[in-house]
Amino acid sequence: MNRLFLPADASGRAEARLARPSPLANALTLAAMSLGFGVVQLDVTIVNTALDSIRSALGGGVAELQWVVNAYTITFAAFILTAGALGDRLGARRIFMGGFALFTLASLGCGLAPDAVTLIALRAIQGLAAAILVPNSLALLNHAYVDPKERGRAVGVWAAGASLALTAGPFVGGTLIALVGWRAIFFVNLPIGLVGLWLTKAYARETPLHADRALDLPGQMAAIIALGALAAAVIEAGARGWTDSAVMLGFVIAIVSGVAFVWQEVRTPQPMLPLILFRNRLFSLCALVGLLANVAIYGLIFVFSLYFQEINHLSAFATGLAFVPMLGVVFPVNLIAPRVAERIGPRATIALGATLSALACLALLPMAPGTPYWALGLQLIGMSSGLGLLVPPLTSTLLGSVDKSRSGLAAGVLNATRQTGSAIGVALFGSLIGQPDAFMTGLRLSLVISAVVLLLAAGIIRWGGAAHGER
């Protein structure tokens, strides 16, 4: 039937029915996207569990370990906006599959790395691939699930799949390290990548192409320099001191590059990051909360990994077991978060999650060398529960605040801010614990900083909601 003879809304519904895939195809698309996000998250906890083993095998100190983690997160954050725009331009399915293939090959390279420098370089390539995977997986979900409620629940499953990977990572990583060695933690990505590629090719629908989306290469370079210089300055501050000339130069380069990035985004006709998006208060609040939450949680995961292994002298396997209850709770909380948001409102749910994590951080302040795990477990579970509660409504709300044609870009902004937060958290908290005799002081200061930024996130999201009369 010719759409000219239908009302606009009726023709749109007819097209939606014709284009809508079967429930099975949607479910398998969701499975593929969850594998893509899951393998990205798996490397966070597996690598943190292996930090002591990697240092023993390849040498180096806390700074090198920070770079093993942050080479990944910096390239993740720096390239994710371009990756989202590239998916909008060339098709999210095509770009997602390229990212999955690159991630799989980089994982193979990490497992074969002969030294720390090579490992750090390959981790950077993994981060680039992760930047491609995450926004395009969300873009594919956003186009597969038209109904907002269905999309919210699909995002909850997507986040839960990543949470399951986070939970399995320490146990699987610790087991592999004990039985085979630390290199096996990267080889485990190979079968996941192959399955994810097959499912995507067989069941995911390609998104509409937007050939007018240009790539902002000057903005991309400025973003890389700004994030890299900021992370380098904070990491080196732990060894050199915050007033060291090289550290100060790093901060200056980061500031100048950041200003250059904003200037480029303002003046270019097709910016990597359209600043007009931030005129939408809802979009801005969600992006800021994502950054603050990751500063706290992922910075603390790095610190706790070293606390368990270096201060309490746990093995890699025991450290993996120590993280399982903490991360395991995220999975069921992710699943119930969309229903909580439907009941009390997404902003209230996000604020509740951030507050719960902040209170748990404060409850961990009495910890000391040799503190038994049973005295820490409940607080660690509370901290991760808050993260599990806030991520699904945060993601779904931000995606719902923009037009579908910008879904890849919006997902990229959220994940860029979150990964920037992770890089800042690891760099900052790692610098605070960098000196052996100051580890516990640095850990407690990290907990206080985390509580403050999480409470700030809760206040921001609630204040913004109150200003608009929304929940």
Side-chain angles (χ1 to χ4, degrees):
M1 183 180 294
N2 192 319
R3 67 177 294 170
L4 293 177
F5 296 97
L6 289 172
D9 59 340
S11 64
R13 289 194 299 270
E15 289 177 357
R17 284 194 298 270
L18 290 172
R20 185 171 297 174
S22 68
L24 177 61
N26 265 0
L28 292 174
T29 297
L30 176 56
M33 300 308 103
S34 297
L35 284 175
F37 190 27
V39 78
V40 168
Q41 295 293 79
L42 181 67
D43 266 38
V44 173
T45 50
I46 277 192
V47 169
N48 276 284
T49 303
L51 290 175
D52 196 53
S53 299
I54 291 172
R55 176 157 60 181
S56 298
L58 303 181
V62 173
E64 284 74 19
L65 296 180
Q66 287 173 280
W67 278 117
V68 168
V69 175
N70 267 351
Y72 181 85
T73 52
I74 288 169
T75 53
F76 193 163
F79 284 100
I80 201 167
L81 293 176
T82 295
L86 196 62
D88 288 342
R89 179 182 174 87
L90 301 178
R93 178 177 176 270
R94 181 180 294 111
I95 300 303
F96 178 85
M97 291 185 66
F100 226 149
L102 181 61
F103 193 97
T104 304
L105 291 173
S107 296
L108 176 62
C110 286
L112 299 174
D115 52 53
V117 173
T118 304
L119 177 60
I120 290 168
L122 287 165
R123 285 283 289 166
I125 296 174
Q126 271 193 317
L128 169 61
I132 295 171
L133 284 172
V134 175
N136 288 292
S137 69
L138 274 172
L140 288 168
L141 285 183
N142 205 35
H143 283 269
Y145 291 89
V146 178
D147 180 74
K149 184 177 291 188
E150 290 181 359
R151 183 179 65 236
R153 292 180 178 179
V155 169
V157 173
W158 172 84
S163 301
L164 183 61
L166 278 168
T167 303
F171 177 74
V172 173
T175 302
L176 289 173
I177 292 166
L179 296 178
V180 183
W182 67 267
R183 297 180 186 276
I185 67 171
F186 295 108
F187 295 145
V188 75
N189 294 335
L190 304 186
I192 298 173
L194 294 175
V195 173
L197 282 167
W198 177 76
L199 285 174
T200 305
K201 183 177 181 180
Y203 295 104
R205 291 185 303 154
E206 186 59 278
T207 58
L209 306 185
H210 300 277
D212 57 327
R213 298 287 167 83
L215 299 182
D216 178 15
L217 297 182
Q220 178 67 83
M221 288 303 301
I224 294 170
I225 295 171
L227 289 176
L230 176 61
V234 177
I235 288 172
E236 290 302 316
R240 297 169 176 263
W242 292 89
T243 58
D244 179 82
S245 59
V247 172
M248 298 300 293
L249 177 62
F251 284 123
V252 170
I253 293 173
I255 293 170
V256 171
S257 300
V259 171
F261 173 76
V262 173
W263 180 75
Q264 167 66 16
E265 301 313 281
V266 169
R267 65 181 289 273
T268 187
Q270 295 194 47
M272 182 174 84
L273 175 58
L275 299 181
I276 193 172
L277 289 175
F278 292 95
R279 293 181 183 177
N280 183 318
R281 180 180 290 271
L282 182 58
F283 181 92
S284 299
L285 292 175
C286 289
L288 179 57
V289 168
L291 183 144
L292 294 174
N294 272 40
V295 167
I297 303 300
Y298 286 90
L300 288 177
I301 287 175
F302 177 84
V303 172
F304 284 133
S305 297
L306 295 178
Y307 168 78
F308 287 136
Q309 294 178 76
E310 294 193 0
I311 304 302
N312 282 6
H313 306 294
L314 299 184
S315 66
F317 180 72
T319 299
L321 290 179
F323 275 111
V324 168
M326 171 187 175
L327 299 173
V329 72
V330 178
F331 177 73
V333 175
N334 275 160
L335 293 178
I336 67 171
R339 289 171 172 78
V340 175
E342 291 169 14
R343 191 169 186 86
I344 69 173
R347 296 189 182 195
T349 305
I350 296 166
L352 177 62
T355 302
L356 177 60
S357 292
L359 294 176
C361 290
L362 294 176
L364 283 166
L365 285 174
M367 66 189 299
T371 299
Y373 182 77
W374 61 263
L376 306 175
L378 186 61
Q379 298 95 309
L380 293 173
I381 289 171
M383 186 177 72
S384 56
S385 295
L387 180 68
L389 192 61
L390 72 84
V391 168
L394 184 73
T395 304
S396 185
T397 301
L398 181 137
L399 281 177
S401 70
V402 300
D403 185 84
K404 281 186 178 293
S405 66
R406 291 187 177 271
S407 58
L409 179 59
V413 172
L414 176 61
N415 285 281
T417 55
R418 291 192 64 194
Q419 292 307 314
T420 298
S422 297
I424 293 172
V426 170
L428 176 59
F429 296 171
S431 70
L432 295 176
I433 64 168
Q435 301 301 321
D437 58 346
F439 190 101
M440 292 308 302
T441 300
L443 188 154
R444 294 189 184 99
L445 183 55
S446 299
L447 288 168
V448 171
I449 294 172
S450 297
V452 170
V453 299
L454 287 165
L455 290 173
L456 178 62
I460 287 171
I461 203 73
R462 288 301 291 154
W463 176 82
H468 285 74
E470 301 169 2
R471 292 186 297 173

